[in-house]
Amino acid sequence: MKDNKLKLKSISIGLLGDTLVGKTAIIEAFFNNEFNKELVSTIYIEKFQTKFFSRYGNEIKLNIWDTSGQERFRKVALRCLKVVKGLVLVFNVTDYNSFKNLDLWLQQISDNIDKKIPIILFGNKADSPKENWQVTNEQIKNFTKKNNLQYFEVSAKTKQGINEGFSYIVNEAYKMVEEKNKNIIIEKNISKKDDGCVGKNKKNKVK
């Protein structure tokens, strides 16, 4: 009897941005639905895994790569991210330099990742009082328009915008790979594996 079940396929999404913008906290909020203010900055690169299902039931493995924003690790991170099908650029709305450096990140993506893939922008710490913001809505609007980026205001603390942002980039990557645009249901069954590009692993509990 012929087995019509689709084989497991995978999609990888990478996060890039300056150190301390909250990339790891965003991933923790997405996978574990929790905020840990004592998280340590990622050193080198780590990969998180889960499974999701298309609306038609085919199971796909989702890899999310968390990278160090430290300059000495950037070349390694960019080399490992050659496998990704989508990218999330992250800045901190209360840190103007992290926004200013987005141009450099886009240039490094262009120089090191040899393919056209969907890229979106996360402005983290959107829960901060407006008087603490160092980046204006007009600056963000101009930047995203100039670079043709979809923008999401997110907060690792309150979870604002995180699921919506990841759903968008995964669907865009899925559409590029499969030439279809399908809604995705996340099954939060997380693991972290070392495949040569990944640094020291830590156990995470699923909430």
Side-chain angles (χ1 to χ4, degrees):
M1 184 175 177
K2 187 177 179 180
D3 183 5
N4 291 322
K5 185 177 180 180
L6 293 175
K7 293 182 179 179
L8 181 70
K9 299 179 181 180
S10 66
I11 288 178
S12 295
I13 303 295
L15 271 70
L16 287 172
D18 284 6
T19 188
L20 300 178
V21 294
K23 298 185 297 294
T24 303
I26 287 169
I27 293 173
E28 289 284 346
F30 177 64
F31 278 114
N32 295 334
N33 199 32
E34 66 180 19
F35 175 70
N36 182 359
K37 64 181 180 181
E38 296 180 355
L39 281 173
V40 178
S41 294
T42 298
I43 302 298
Y44 198 50
I45 187 167
E46 292 181 327
K47 181 169 70 174
F48 294 72
Q49 290 184 345
T50 189
K51 295 176 183 177
F52 65 82
F53 297 85
S54 79
R55 66 194 303 177
Y56 298 106
N58 49 313
E59 183 180 78
I60 302 170
K61 181 170 65 177
L62 171 62
N63 304 312
I64 296 184
W65 295 75
D66 182 19
T67 63
S68 172
Q70 297 182 39
E71 188 170 354
R72 60 185 172 137
F73 294 119
R74 288 183 186 178
K75 287 185 179 179
V76 175
L78 288 162
R79 186 192 72 209
C80 290
L81 291 184
K82 288 181 181 292
V83 302
V84 303
K85 301 300 182 184
L87 285 170
V88 181
L89 272 177
V90 184
F91 74 99
N92 174 357
V93 298
T94 68
D95 178 4
Y96 179 75
N97 283 333
S98 71
F99 175 76
K100 182 180 178 182
N101 288 337
L102 291 174
D103 282 320
L104 176 61
W105 283 109
L106 284 174
Q107 185 59 53
Q108 291 179 333
I109 290 169
S110 177
D111 291 342
N112 292 278
I113 300 178
D114 189 24
K115 57 193 167 196
K116 287 187 177 181
I117 56 176
I119 303 172
I120 64 171
L121 182 65
F122 276 7
N124 192 30
K125 300 193 178 180
D127 58 292
S128 301
K130 283 291 185 178
E131 58 265 27
N132 293 338
W133 286 39
Q134 294 184 7
V135 186
T136 67
N137 289 331
E138 189 67 21
Q139 289 172 318
I140 296 169
K141 182 179 179 181
N142 290 338
F143 179 82
T144 54
K145 183 177 180 180
K146 180 180 73 172
N147 295 287
N148 194 28
L149 301 176
Q150 189 74 23
Y151 173 62
F152 296 85
E153 284 187 358
V154 305
S155 167
K157 187 174 182 179
T158 68
K159 321 301 184 297
Q160 172 190 336
I162 291 176
N163 284 346
E164 292 85 351
F166 275 118
S167 292
Y168 180 89
I169 189 63
V170 171
N171 273 289
E172 286 298 300
Y174 187 81
K175 180 172 66 175
M176 187 185 80
V177 173
E178 299 293 324
E179 297 182 346
K180 295 176 183 177
N181 189 11
K182 299 172 183 172
N183 293 324
I184 287 167
I185 302 169
I186 299 293
E187 177 188 285
K188 294 184 179 179
N189 179 20
I190 182 172
S191 66
K192 295 171 71 175
K193 295 183 179 180
D194 188 336
D195 61 0
C197 268
V198 183
K200 187 176 180 181
N201 292 334
K202 299 175 290 185
K203 281 190 175 181
N204 285 327
K205 294 181 180 179
V206 180
K207 301 293 184 181

